[in-house]
Amino acid sequence: MADKIWLSSPHMGGNELKYIHEAFDANWVAPLGPNVNGFETDLEKYLNTDVKVAALSAGTAALHLALIECGVSHGDEVICQSMTFSATANPIAYQGALPVFVDSEKDTWNICPIALEEAIKDRIAKGKTPKAILAVHLYGMPYKVEEVTAVAEKYNIPVIEDAAEALGSTFKGKKCGTFGRFGALSFNGNKIITTSGGGALVCHTQEDKDKAVFLATQARDNAPHYQHSHIGYNYRMSNITAGIGRGQMEVLSNRVEARRAMNKFYQDLFANIDGVTVFKEPTADYFSNHWLSAILIDPKVAGKTREDLRLAFLEDDIESRPLWKPMHLQPIFADSPYYGGKVAEDLFENGLCLPSGSNLTDVERKRIADKVNQVFGK
Ligand SMILES: *Cc1c(COP(=O)(O)O)cnc(C)c1O
């Protein structure tokens, strides 16, 4: 049998090992060093505004530190997009705060600005102003930046942008990760670029970055001995993995192009299949890196469900996966309030993520196309 086709697998550029060798040669085998600084500078240049970036051990760590810097603590409430990966919501629980989940809208599949405002008004009426809003650029698609920002500003609540899936995406030409009070990036093995595992916090002031690095390195006060007046974390990025990141930054633009070409491939493949729509940008203001390409299947029209397609793919060792199961439907968050309707739930019911890697070959694309045509009788 042919090799497994993955949803999204690591894709090295070529120079990653060069940076790792430099680290070994200089004995910078530590969670600090030239690769960490270099990777941060590469990201700052790429994001193309005067942001300050702190390289961390994970995107989850970045979200956690963003919440801490927004002053989120025990008993607080934080608004969170329901349709997302659990890593968006978990750090709210780390702080002993309560996630308040909000539905998606149909254009970008991200947080619905109308349900968001309803949620804020109702939480305020119930006695607590939410401390932050966690909005996600799902699968690389920018959320409705202007509408979400307007609601946040109206109630003076900071936005934490989960851009873990959206490095390389833009809204009106501006890079995702730079719109919120903080932005979180991820370099996990399945993301558009990887450091094997890692993340970064995008800040807008040196002070915010310094605070993140301070907290990420065990919160040591300025003293010759170990002195602490804050709870610290071990969240800094290793100089070895940062070397992978520097190599990956050299090819990021190619990776964005290749993922977008995969999306075009699916647009063409499904063009003649009724009842299947490929997720794409609602208007020219949105530019998605198409980290994952996803489809919605209307079983009444298509005559097949997303499970039919998923299981058919599985037979041929082709990985596909239902969209994120909304957080308000997860057992662990059963006690959290939820605002909105059934948009996220319907997306979860009928949506499927398809193999989207930047390293897929023509032969693999043909295997995918043959399977799709077989399932839909084309
Ligand atoms: C991957 C991901 C994260 C977490 O990033 P890690 O680097 O794996 O900790 C958070 N949010 C979303 C939406 C993600 O896809």
Side-chain angles (χ1 to χ4, degrees):
M1 194 151 130
D3 285 344
K4 175 165 178 165
I5 298 179
W6 299 91
L7 208 57
S8 177
S9 71
H11 187 186
M12 291 301 103
N15 281 336
E16 291 83 2
L17 276 174
K18 184 193 81 166
Y19 290 106
I20 291 177
H21 280 299
E22 283 174 13
F24 272 72
D25 290 344
N27 205 28
W28 278 111
V29 186
L32 76 168
N35 283 336
V36 174
N37 300 340
F39 186 41
E40 289 178 343
T41 308
D42 291 346
L43 285 164
E44 286 166 2
K45 282 194 188 130
Y46 182 79
L47 293 171
N48 201 21
T49 43
D50 31 312
V51 290
K52 303 286 174 213
V53 172
L56 301 170
S57 56
T60 312
L63 290 163
H64 190 193
L65 294 182
L67 290 165
I68 295 171
E69 290 210 40
C70 287
V72 174
S73 67
H74 197 87
D76 285 337
E77 296 189 355
V78 174
I79 294 202
C80 183
Q81 179 168 324
S82 183
M83 179 109 196
T84 188
F85 180 39
S86 64
T88 311
N90 283 338
I92 301 170
Y94 300 168
Q95 284 308 96
L98 179 74
V100 172
F101 293 114
V102 171
D103 202 4
S104 291
E105 40 77 17
K106 288 180 180 167
D107 294 336
T108 74
W109 298 2
N110 293 311
I111 196 163
C112 169
I114 298 162
L116 169 64
E117 184 160 17
E118 272 171 30
I120 295 172
K121 279 185 176 161
D122 193 58
R123 299 323 290 174
I124 292 173
K126 288 187 161 68
K128 270 187 191 162
T129 303
K131 276 287 181 74
I133 297 163
L134 251 165
V136 189
H137 306 293
L138 220 54
Y139 305 121
M141 185 65 72
Y143 59 72
K144 293 198 165 172
V145 172
E146 286 170 346
E147 291 88 335
V148 170
T149 306
V151 173
E153 280 174 357
K154 183 170 169 189
Y155 296 92
N156 199 19
I157 303 171
V159 174
I160 297 169
E161 217 184 323
D162 184 342
E165 301 176 358
L167 183 59
S169 299
T170 65
F171 178 77
K172 289 195 171 172
K174 215 180 147 203
K175 293 258 168 33
C176 287
T178 66
F179 297 109
R181 165 84 201 280
F182 292 99
L185 302 174
S186 169
F187 313 108
N188 204 337
N190 61 350
K191 297 288 159 57
I192 190 154
I193 61 164
T194 183
T195 59
S196 70
L201 185 68
V202 183
C203 306
H204 291 272
T205 66
Q206 186 65 42
E207 198 190 343
D208 279 352
K209 175 184 168 172
D210 291 346
K211 189 164 178 202
V213 171
F214 167 76
L215 292 169
T217 51
Q218 305 289 19
R220 281 185 64 190
D221 292 345
N222 191 10
H225 55 277
Y226 279 85
Q227 171 87 18
H228 303 276
S229 32
H230 291 270
I231 295 291
Y233 302 87
N234 185 4
Y235 278 172
R236 199 66 163 129
M237 181 177 275
S238 152
N239 194 57
I240 303 302
T241 54
I244 307 177
R246 291 187 80 182
Q248 290 273 278
M249 284 306 286
E250 294 177 4
V251 294
L252 174 55
S253 307
N254 305 354
R255 299 298 179 259
V256 173
E257 253 175 62
R259 299 258 174 179
R260 287 179 57 81
M262 278 310 295
N263 190 266
K264 176 73 172 56
F265 162 76
Y266 287 118
Q267 304 279 357
D268 295 343
L269 177 59
F270 286 103
N272 298 319
I273 298 174
D274 292 335
V276 181
T277 46
V278 180
F279 186 40
K280 62 173 188 194
E281 291 95 339
T283 73
D285 288 340
Y286 296 81
F287 178 93
S288 171
N289 68 7
H290 287 304
W291 168 60
L292 291 188
S293 284
I295 53 171
L296 281 182
I297 301 183
D298 180 346
K300 287 194 269 344
V301 180
K304 300 282 172 188
T305 65
R306 74 108 203 275
E307 273 307 274
D308 294 332
L309 182 58
R310 191 183 69 80
L311 294 171
F313 272 146
L314 197 61
E315 268 171 25
D316 198 19
D317 221 6
I318 299 171
E319 188 181 29
S320 66
R321 194 172 295 154
L323 304 192
W324 299 123
K325 181 172 181 178
M327 290 303 114
H328 73 279
L329 303 176
Q330 299 285 357
I332 189 68
F333 293 121
D335 295 336
S336 271
Y338 173 71
Y339 293 85
K342 287 198 173 295
V343 175
E345 200 172 329
D346 287 347
L347 289 170
F348 170 62
E349 240 12 86
N350 297 310
L352 192 67
C353 294
L354 305 174
S356 305
S358 48
N359 48 3
L360 291 177
T361 63
D362 286 342
V363 173
E364 289 171 322
R365 270 187 285 272
K366 181 157 189 312
R367 251 172 79 195
I368 295 167
D370 288 347
K371 199 75 199 177
V372 165
N373 288 330
Q374 182 198 324
V375 168
F376 292 96
K378 293 281 169 176

